[in-house]
């Protein structure tokens, strides 16, 4: 996963989500846009694949993982990433939320249903 270019609609969505998380009391926010520190990457067993969450934050001793649903990504790749983040959130007593832009709810719900992903969907 690469860090998106500054000024895109993706960046605006990330900023919107960060604002919501700050209002909800999250601290140590890391995100894939400047000026934030990039979240730690998760390296696969074969050391060839690398996952970077869109946003991470901490609250009450747990770590939350937050994603923006993107239609332009291969659904199987997205599902793999989301499954890993779902597991990490459970292991770290945190939450996993997927923020869904207008027009992407059906796409996101299909992936979640097909791959049995447990996450809270939030419309943005």
């Amino acid at each position: 996963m690469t860090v998106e270019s500054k000024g895109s609609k993706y960046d605006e969505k990330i900023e919107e989500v960060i604002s919501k998380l700050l209002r909800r009391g999250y601290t140590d926010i890391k995100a894939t846009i400047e000026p934030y520190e990039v979240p730690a990457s998760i390296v696969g067993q074969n050391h060839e694949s690398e996952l970077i969450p869109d946003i991470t934050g901490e609250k009450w001793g747990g770590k939350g993982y937050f994603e923006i649903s993107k239609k332009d990504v291969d659904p199987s790749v997205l599902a793999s990433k989301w499954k890993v983040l779902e597991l990490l959130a459970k292991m770290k007593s945190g939450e996993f939320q997927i923020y869904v832009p207008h027009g992407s709810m059906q796409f996101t719900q299909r992936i979640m249903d097909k791959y049995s992903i447990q996450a809270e969907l939030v419309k943005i």
Side-chain angles (χ1 to χ4, degrees):
M1 289 276 140
T2 59
V3 176
E4 301 285 331
S5 62
K6 185 99 174 115
S8 70
K9 288 190 180 223
Y10 172 82
D11 288 0
E12 292 170 13
K13 297 296 182 192
I14 292 281
E15 288 288 353
E16 184 178 339
V17 172
I18 290 170
S19 293
K20 289 175 187 268
L21 295 175
L22 289 170
R23 284 193 302 270
R24 290 181 48 214
Y26 274 88
T27 60
D28 195 26
I29 302 272
K30 296 180 181 174
T32 55
I33 62 170
E34 291 182 6
Y36 298 94
E37 182 180 336
V38 176
S41 62
I42 300 119
V43 179
Q45 286 181 331
N46 61 7
H47 299 285
E48 292 179 16
S49 61
E50 180 181 56
L51 302 174
I52 300 174
D54 289 339
I55 306 167
T56 63
E58 294 183 11
K59 182 177 176 182
W60 297 321
K63 186 163 187 172
Y65 295 86
F66 309 96
E67 283 285 299
I68 308 291
S69 180
K70 299 180 250 352
K71 281 186 174 180
D72 61 343
V73 177
D74 177 358
S76 63
V77 171
L78 212 47
S80 295
K81 180 180 181 182
W82 290 352
K83 282 301 265 184
V84 169
L85 296 178
E86 171 192 5
L87 179 63
L88 282 172
K90 286 178 184 175
M91 288 173 46
K92 297 192 177 196
S93 303
E95 65 180 321
F96 176 46
Q97 292 182 328
I98 300 171
Y99 285 80
V100 185
H102 181 73
S104 297
M105 186 59 78
Q106 261 188 326
F107 168 79
T108 305
Q109 192 64 59
R110 267 194 311 271
I111 293 173
M112 291 183 64
D113 293 344
K114 182 176 180 179
Y115 296 95
S116 301
I117 297 168
Q118 300 296 314
E120 180 183 353
L121 295 182
V122 180
K123 292 180 183 180
I124 53 171

